[in-house]
Amino acid sequence: MEYIYSFINKKLNILTFYLIIFIGLCFHYSIANSQDIYDQEWINQVVIACEQLEHDYAIYRDRGDAKAFANIFTKDGEWGRPNAIIKGRDAIEEYINNSNSRSLQEVHMQLTTTIQIKPIDKLTATGVSYAIVLEAPIEDGLPVTLLGFQVASESRSIYKLTDEGWKIDKREYTTLFVDPD
């Protein structure tokens, strides 16, 4: 009889051991799974916020809205132009205002084609975007005759999470194609 109790106790101990392992694995899996969901949700939020900055960049630049355009950058943000780096919101706003005050009015349209955002950490993301820019003088009103595009470019950006939300901290672009004229 003692042998039977010993056998049952061993069997119960083994079953208890496997049950504890099973419950532990299930608990670990549920925590890991919920962590993955949280991380994916966070990644999606960052990507959406930074993609919106890319779209705002094109819209505000096209409309010549200097203040709104400057405000998509951090306070000390850098905007790399082909011949210079413009630093800070005030300087970026001034640059756009100066380009708006040309003697010959122009229509400007940036067609953003590809955007790839990669979160780096909780406060930083990087991105690459492609754009084709159309620009032509307005002589007799709209629509204007366009003989070609102005430029096709690749932009590389660093985004930062600030007290104001996600902003472009640094943006540099490389001209890939230009209109032959």
Side-chain angles (χ1 to χ4, degrees), residues 151-177:
V151 67
S153 64
E154 174 188 270
S155 294
R156 296 193 173 270
S157 299
I158 298 173
Y159 311 92
K160 294 286 185 181
L161 180 59
T162 70
D163 292 339
E164 301 170 298
W166 285 94
K167 301 287 181 179
I168 298 172
D169 189 51
K170 185 175 184 181
R171 184 179 185 93
E172 296 177 351
Y173 77 89
T174 303
T175 300
L176 301 174
F177 304 97

Side-chain angles (χ1 to χ4, degrees), residues 48-95:
I48 289 168
C50 294
E51 284 178 349
Q52 186 61 52
L53 288 171
E54 292 293 328
H55 296 301
D56 289 347
Y57 179 100
I59 292 291
Y60 297 146
R61 180 67 184 99
D62 290 346
R63 293 181 180 166
D65 189 337
K67 186 158 199 69
F69 183 80
N71 282 329
I72 65 171
F73 289 86
T74 60
K75 291 177 183 174
D76 298 320
E78 296 181 11
W79 185 29
R81 305 293 300 151
N83 300 323
I85 296 174
I86 303 169
K87 295 183 182 183
R89 283 184 185 161
D90 292 340
I92 293 169
E93 184 176 350
E94 181 181 345
Y95 178 89

Side-chain angles (χ1 to χ4, degrees), residues 113-164:
T113 60
T114 302
I115 302 171
Q116 182 183 59
I117 307 295
K118 292 187 178 180
I120 302 302
D121 58 38
K122 296 291 182 189
L123 301 175
T124 309
T126 61
V128 176
S129 62
Y130 301 145
I132 296 171
V133 178
L134 308 174
E135 193 171 83
I138 300 174
E139 296 172 351
D140 297 320
L142 294 175
V144 299
T145 300
L146 186 66
L147 300 176
F149 66 95
Q150 180 192 8
V151 67
S153 64
E154 174 188 270
S155 294
R156 296 193 173 270
S157 299
I158 298 173
Y159 311 92
K160 294 286 185 181
L161 180 59
T162 70
D163 292 339
E164 301 170 298

Side-chain angles (χ1 to χ4, degrees), residues 19-63:
L19 183 61
I20 290 170
I21 295 295
F22 176 75
I23 291 171
L25 287 173
C26 288
F27 180 71
H28 173 73
Y29 177 74
S30 68
I31 289 174
N33 196 26
S34 67
Q35 186 66 33
D36 289 344
I37 291 169
Y38 170 78
D39 288 343
Q40 190 60 53
E41 286 177 12
W42 176 81
I43 289 168
N44 291 344
Q45 289 173 357
V46 172
V47 168
I48 289 168
C50 294
E51 284 178 349
Q52 186 61 52
L53 288 171
E54 292 293 328
H55 296 301
D56 289 347
Y57 179 100
I59 292 291
Y60 297 146
R61 180 67 184 99
D62 290 346
R63 293 181 180 166

Side-chain angles (χ1 to χ4, degrees), residues 92-117:
I92 293 169
E93 184 176 350
E94 181 181 345
Y95 178 89
I96 299 298
N97 279 328
N98 288 340
S99 68
N100 290 343
S101 65
R102 296 179 186 153
S103 59
L104 188 57
Q105 192 74 4
E106 291 183 336
V107 63
H108 182 282
M109 180 178 281
Q110 176 170 318
L111 305 170
T112 303
T113 60
T114 302
I115 302 171
Q116 182 183 59
I117 307 295

